[in-house]
Amino acid sequence: MDSKIEQFFKNEKQWKNELELLRDIILKCDVTEELKWGVPCYTYQGKNLFLIGGFKAYFTISFLKGTLLNDENELLEFAGTNSQ
């Protein structure tokens, strides 16, 4: 395990349990965990897939190429007006 990533989870206060649960689920997949932009980033074959992190009012999975996902049930939300 990367000590910088471990430190990220150790320092998390508000969403610690939720982010650790997401992490446990994610690490069961064939992805690599790295720290990029100060948050855990998950990659596959060298390509960035998504980030996880917490904000004041919520925690999130941010898909870096989310527009390429098929969202038949319309479960995904745009992060903001400037996101794709």
Side-chain angles (χ1 to χ4, degrees):
M1 293 285 174
D2 185 328
S3 63
K4 291 179 184 178
I5 295 171
E6 295 304 319
Q7 192 64 39
F8 170 87
F9 285 99
K10 182 178 179 183
N11 291 341
E12 178 60 40
K13 302 281 187 264
Q14 185 172 1
W15 302 108
K16 183 177 181 73
N17 293 336
E18 292 83 356
L19 291 173
E20 287 180 346
L21 178 59
L22 279 176
R23 182 187 194 202
D24 289 343
I25 294 167
I26 291 165
L27 290 177
K28 291 178 182 175
C29 302
D30 187 20
V31 296
T32 302
E33 182 180 55
E34 303 176 36
L35 193 69
K36 294 185 179 182
W37 308 287
V39 296
C41 177
Y42 299 89
T43 64
Y44 179 73
Q45 295 181 348
K47 301 209 185 296
N48 297 330
L49 297 177
F50 51 90
L51 312 166
I52 64 171
F55 293 92
K56 191 174 191 176
Y58 62 92
F59 63 96
T60 185
I61 298 177
S62 299
F63 294 95
L64 298 170
K65 298 194 186 236
T67 57
L68 301 176
L69 295 172
N70 184 5
D71 186 22
E72 293 176 7
N73 296 317
E74 298 179 6
L75 298 173
L76 302 176
E77 297 179 12
F78 287 104
T81 57
N82 295 322
S83 66
Q84 297 182 13

